[in-house]
Amino acid sequence: MLLAKGFEDPRSYLLNLSLKEPTMTATLLESLEAWFEPIEGSLTAFSGGVDSALVLYLSKRFLGQKGIGIIADSPSLKRADLEIAKRFCQQFEISLRIIQTDELDKAEYKSNPFNRCYYCKDTLYSMMRELHQSDYANFALLNGANVDDLGDFRPGHQAANEQNILTPLADCGLDKDDIRALAKHFELPVWDKPASPCLSSRIPYGQEVTKEKLTQIESAEIVLNNLGFPEVRVRHFGDLAKIESPVSEIERLQSLFQLIESSLKEIGYKKVEIDKEGLVSGKLNRAISSNG
């Protein structure tokens, strides 16, 4: 269910899980097990989110210690998400390799074009490909793409296709409801984790991505998280911070606005606004259609 177009409310999946009959869960698992059967080992691009977490968990379930996670320790990744990923792998005894990506050093990424995500994913998948060639020659390279992703504007899919990254969830026909249901079935701690796109997605296309901006955005969102807003975006418009939250939380945001405004100004913003439309994942992508 959607709070606004393009945004998932994980809590709504509590209503949908009852619709997933045990036979459906068994069918999905049979399909996934068959998908993994010819795979000797795998490297999964892991972000700490539910989609890639399920792929990584299934890799460990079906491949044992040959199911390995790869996470990019990038300035665009929230520190909290990195810690979630580490704890997840510790809990399920999954090997995790942390790699340092350098996308901010690339002019193509830093200039923040509409296909910025392509350069990020191309960097990640290229480094995974290098690991594959040096240490894991017979392993498959995987990500968490699912059928609901296929209709979105996601330049990262191009990079995945170019690097021959495999997509077990999409191949087996799993959508976001299926993924949440299976993650809940296996009691994965991230099953209801809100979507957490990279911090660079808060910066309008065409405006340079810098480490300083990403740090400022992350700090602002931490303030809001600590005030009890786990599902929030702080869009970065230079000196202006525009806050997006689910519509149901806007009234509470307004009641705390004086405190929020003061805290965000301490971080470096000169002006703070609440977006009355509410949280819409990928809202800045509207600029693509308006220019296309």
Side-chain angles (χ1 to χ4, degrees):
M1 295 181 67
L2 301 180
L3 287 176
K5 183 178 180 182
F7 174 68
E8 310 167 42
D9 176 10
R11 294 168 298 182
S12 71
Y13 287 86
L14 288 169
L15 302 176
N16 296 332
L17 289 178
S18 61
L19 302 177
K20 300 295 182 181
E21 298 292 340
T23 53
M24 183 178 293
T25 298
T27 300
L28 291 174
L29 284 175
E30 287 174 3
S31 177
L32 287 161
E33 185 172 12
W35 190 96
F36 275 96
E37 186 174 1
I39 304 297
E40 178 179 331
S42 64
L43 302 179
T44 297
F46 185 37
S47 67
V50 62
D51 299 345
S52 58
L54 180 61
V55 173
L56 184 54
Y57 173 82
L58 292 171
S59 299
K60 173 64 184 301
R61 180 182 179 88
F62 296 131
L63 306 175
Q65 292 302 321
K66 291 186 177 181
I68 297 170
I70 307 291
I71 191 166
D73 184 2
S74 161
S76 64
L77 177 70
K78 283 187 173 183
R79 299 299 89 189
D81 285 340
L82 179 60
E83 292 307 312
I84 287 170
K86 290 178 180 178
R87 289 196 300 269
F88 180 89
C89 290
Q90 290 170 355
Q91 178 178 348
F92 294 103
E93 299 181 341
I94 296 170
S95 297
L96 179 66
R97 294 196 62 164
I98 301 173
I99 60 177
Q100 305 292 326
T101 52
D102 59 354
E103 62 266 24
L104 279 181
D105 294 335
K106 294 186 175 181
E108 300 95 338
Y109 180 92
K110 193 171 185 178
S111 63
N112 201 12
F114 290 141
N115 64 339
R116 178 198 66 241
C117 289
Y118 169 83
Y119 299 104
C120 175
K121 294 301 185 184
D122 183 61
T123 298
L124 170 61
Y125 296 146
S126 293
M127 294 184 73
M128 287 177 63
R129 180 64 58 190
E130 290 174 6
L131 280 174
H132 169 265
Q133 293 172 348
S134 61
D135 300 331
Y136 306 99
N138 296 319
F139 283 30
L141 305 184
L142 315 180
N143 69 17
N146 61 79
V147 295
D148 285 339
D149 295 330
L150 301 182
D152 290 347
F153 175 72
R154 294 184 180 239
H157 289 328
Q158 179 186 347
N161 290 334
E162 291 174 356
Q163 297 284 357
N164 296 316
I165 308 299
L166 304 183
T167 57
L169 301 181
D171 291 351
C172 294
L174 274 74
D175 61 20
K176 292 186 183 299
D177 281 0
D178 296 324
I179 292 165
R180 297 274 185 189
L182 278 183
K184 175 66 172 175
H185 171 77
F186 288 119
E187 299 182 348
L188 304 188
V190 297
W191 81 267
D192 60 348
K193 182 178 181 289
S196 183
C198 82
L199 293 167
S200 296
S201 68
R202 319 298 199 264
I203 303 171
Y205 294 116
Q207 296 185 18
E208 186 179 48
V209 178
T210 68
K211 186 174 182 179
E212 292 72 25
K213 289 180 182 179
L214 298 177
T215 299
Q216 191 175 23
I217 293 165
E218 183 173 18
S219 298
E221 292 190 0
I222 288 172
V223 168
L224 290 156
N225 294 158
N226 289 340
L227 288 172
F229 299 96
E231 302 154 17
V232 70
R233 306 279 190 275
V234 175
R235 306 292 185 190
H236 183 97
F237 295 89
D239 291 334
L240 167 65
K242 186 172 285 189
I243 302 169
E244 293 181 26
S245 73
V247 173
S248 60
E249 297 284 357
I250 289 179
E251 185 176 348
R252 193 162 68 89
L253 265 179
Q254 292 172 327
S255 70
L256 295 170
F257 184 74
Q258 187 173 357
L259 173 61
I260 293 169
E261 182 181 41
S262 174
S263 298
L264 267 58
K265 283 185 175 180
E266 288 181 7
I267 292 170
Y269 291 105
K270 294 182 179 178
K271 188 176 181 181
V272 180
E273 293 180 1
I274 297 172
D275 189 328
K276 301 297 179 58
E277 182 185 11
L279 177 53
V280 178
S281 184
K283 183 177 289 189
L284 296 181
N285 286 343
R286 292 172 179 171
I288 299 171
S289 58
S290 66
N291 285 275

